Amino acid sequence: MPRTPALLALCLGSALALASCAEAPPRDPDPARTTPSGPWDAAAAKAAVTVLPVGYLADFDDCADLLTYYQANALELVGPYGLGGGWYGAEDSAGGDAGTDMAASEADGASRPDHSTTNVQEEGVDEPDVVKTDGRIIVTVANGSVRIVDAADPRILSTVPLPGRGDTLYPSEVLLHEGTLVVLSQEWSGAPRPVDDTFVAFSPERTVVTRVDVSDPSSPRVLGSVRLEGGYRSARLVGDALRMVMVTEPPGVVQTSPRSGSMKAEQESTERNRELIRATTIDDWVPHVQVLDARGQVQSTDALLGCDQITRPRDPAGLSTMSVLTFDLGADSAEPVSATGLVASGGTVYASPDRLVVATSAWDVWAWAGSPAIDTIWPGGRPAHRTSLHVFDISDPTTTTWTASGEVPGHLLNQWALDEEDGVLRVATTLEPAGASQSSSSSLVVLREDDGSLVETGRVDGLGVTETIRSVRYLNADLAAVVTFRQTDPLYLIDTSDPAAPRVAGELKIPGYSAYLHPIGEGRLLGVGQDADERTGRTKGLQMSLFDISDPSAPRQLQVLSWPDSYSTIEQDHRAFTWWPATGQVVLPVTRWGGWEGTSSEDEEAFGGVTLVTVDETGMTEGRSVSTAPKHRGWGEGPQRTVVIGDSLWTLDWQGLARFDLATLEGGWVLDLP
């Protein structure tokens, strides 16, 4: 498969890897060579590295067909230093939202006060986080442990036992659903030692999914775990159905490297690497799953996906396998109840109540070796920046089914760039041309599922010329808000009521930009981001803006609050945002880097804490601020998350928890989480 200039950047992980990407691979010296799957089929290999003539995905006839696909594409890429970066990994190892709403248990309302939930993108679609609460308990992920805290009496009730390999297991996120806790962990293992001058091409990755019964929070009980080969990307929970997206690099492929720096040694190494690829079996390429008991002992090891559950995209897109797994939290077993796979990478994950979308950009996949056939495969040459979109039906809680795929030009900011409803997909994308004489710009593209393809029905181009997208919010099926920025902040309101003819309904240019947008009632929109110099675009500090969007053709900025030389974790992570409708308050985590020479806060101390902002019919009112760090910590750092339970505001940072009265902000540090 050909190499594009944009993809070449992916090989910059090391100088040796770059040399591998830069070398055009030699032709196979022996097309008749026999592999473990039978005689090498040159025609099948050629088909494997060519785009599909029609459609976006294709099934494989059998495991031999799938193996040929992996091998043929690897042979297009391999050079004297092999695939991946396992050699370096071995050396290193050897060296050492619909917004936050009030929720209460209907069955146990008296004992569970109203409480905030994770600020998610879509109502009814929960997202994993580093803290979860049901009003009675707070579950936190901090410093490699999952702890359950009593919300009424701040103390650690228990530390959740995690079956795994001792200190190599690191929990990253949790989900809490009707007395069941799901812990998503990464498990690190040292790279295998080189054997016979070979090394593992790709560093091992493991993800462990653990289900825990926390109906008695003082004595959590592990229900079961699975260890998965590959890296966790994201997960979504709808009802009892948990979908998790994984990406697995080939787990069993080994490679070698030159014995010296001579060209002869490099050629010999390339030939040896090609031999090693041709000698692989299907087990070396596909991910596996282990079922663990409550003590972490392996009960079984099997392929995670059958060959008939893996498909290929229209354009060969790397050597990794992207898997979408379905777990039933109402079932007795911890194993996934269904799985589907695609030979591709995956980065951005979005989900509506009945669709899951995985976006793969050119930056997510392997750089492919050069080929003179680029104009044959992609007439006119492939655009430098494209994003592939793969849509899965998740309306059936027991299974996940691929429905459609397509492409859009450019790259996506994050999950907020995507939206789906009734088979219509809206995508906000920024195109940054490689040529220095060309300007960046953004688009909103509308696509519809049509017989396995995402067919474009309409688009708006030319948004924010010379700028890039900084935030997106789909307010309803008919209206989207897009913010772009370079020196000023154009807020675009885009009418998508006619999928065939989306249009810019209104535009507002103001200094700075909003990195996160949140609707507050009818016709008003809140933005959290940075103030900036209108002439230079240099950011000056945190700001919160209130917009009137009741007339989409004439959006207005009603009010701005600013905090010089400050920023908020909300700007990078929407889950840090808390809106509490009962009191009309926004809890704003704030970090101020005071004391820096030349800043407006040069004479002020650094600050890390929260500021309360009340939003009502009259506008925004800045309330009290309070430091949330322990008294002994001398630097300013805002909390990772904020949680409201009853009349209390809880804050979580990497050291522990603080609790304050929501009305007065009286309180302070209550619990270390070492």
Side-chain angles (χ1 to χ4, degrees), residues 125-336:
V125 183
D126 198 10
E127 301 179 23
D129 204 354
V130 296
V131 62
K132 291 285 184 178
T133 184
D134 64 1
R136 297 180 305 119
I137 60 173
I138 301 171
V139 183
T140 68
V141 178
N143 297 314
S145 295
V146 179
R147 298 178 179 93
I148 301 177
V149 174
D150 188 340
D153 176 17
R155 59 191 175 93
I156 297 174
L157 294 172
S158 59
T159 298
V160 177
L162 296 177
R165 294 172 178 158
D167 295 336
T168 65
L169 193 66
Y170 299 91
S172 59
E173 295 181 333
V174 293
L175 284 154
L176 182 61
H177 177 66
E178 296 180 354
T180 297
L181 179 70
V182 178
V183 183
L184 304 170
S185 307
Q186 280 69 55
E187 188 177 72
W188 306 105
S189 55
R193 298 277 184 175
V195 177
D196 295 331
D197 293 326
T198 66
F199 56 86
V200 176
F202 300 89
S203 297
E205 281 190 281
R206 303 285 185 270
T207 299
V208 177
V209 182
T210 305
R211 287 178 54 191
V212 185
D213 180 357
V214 293
S215 55
D216 179 358
S218 64
S219 182
R221 182 171 59 90
V222 174
L223 300 175
S225 295
V226 290
R227 177 184 291 125
L228 302 157
E229 225 161 30
Y232 160 71
R233 291 297 180 266
S234 193
R236 296 293 186 273
L237 179 65
V238 180
D240 288 339
L242 172 65
R243 265 71 181 208
M244 188 171 76
V245 179
M246 300 271 301
V247 174
T248 308
E249 306 293 356
V253 175
V254 296
Q255 295 282 265
T256 191
S257 59
R259 293 177 177 270
S260 72
S262 71
M263 290 189 292
K264 184 175 185 297
E266 288 182 349
Q267 180 63 23
E268 290 173 347
S269 180
T270 297
E271 298 297 340
R272 173 64 173 148
N273 281 327
R274 293 171 68 79
E275 292 290 324
L276 290 168
I277 289 170
R278 295 285 294 276
T280 57
T281 67
I282 192 63
D283 237 23
D284 296 322
W285 297 92
V286 299
H288 298 79
V289 56
Q290 289 181 335
V291 177
L292 311 179
D293 65 16
R295 296 177 300 145
Q297 300 301 307
V298 176
Q299 303 300 296
S300 62
T301 302
D302 299 291
L304 177 62
L305 299 157
C307 296
D308 59 345
Q309 295 174 302
I310 301 175
T311 55
R312 62 158 289 185
R314 182 186 66 181
D315 305 327
L319 302 177
S320 55
T321 303
M322 184 262 287
S323 311
V324 182
L325 311 179
T326 303
F327 296 85
D328 181 1
L329 299 192
D332 294 332
S333 173
E335 298 176 64

Side-chain angles (χ1 to χ4, degrees), residues 334-353:
E335 298 176 64
V337 295
S338 72
T340 185
L342 177 67
V343 186
S345 186
T348 302
V349 177
Y350 159 85
S352 68

Side-chain angles (χ1 to χ4, degrees), residues 568-594:
S568 176
T569 49
I570 296 170
E571 299 174 52
Q572 286 79 40
D573 194 332
H574 64 276
R575 297 171 299 179
F577 181 86
T578 298
W579 159 245
W580 191 236
T583 59
Q585 289 174 300
V586 172
V587 183
L588 187 67
V590 178
T591 298
R592 183 180 65 238
W593 49 89

Side-chain angles (χ1 to χ4, degrees), residues 33-119:
R33 173 176 165 78
T34 299
T35 71
S37 60
W40 182 251
D41 188 335
K46 181 179 180 180
V49 296
T50 306
V51 298
L52 298 171
V54 293
Y56 277 93
L57 294 188
D59 296 324
F60 293 99
D61 294 336
D62 49 32
C63 286
D65 190 24
L66 176 58
L67 177 60
T68 297
Y69 182 86
Y70 282 120
Q71 290 173 325
N73 282 291
L75 290 171
E76 286 285 298
L77 174 63
V78 73
Y81 298 95
L83 303 167
W87 183 44
Y88 301 101
E91 291 291 314
D92 293 341
S93 297
D97 316 304
T100 306
D101 61 357
M102 291 185 293
S105 167
E106 297 180 3
D108 194 17
S111 60
R112 300 184 189 227
D114 289 344
H115 57 88
S116 61
T117 58
T118 297
N119 180 40

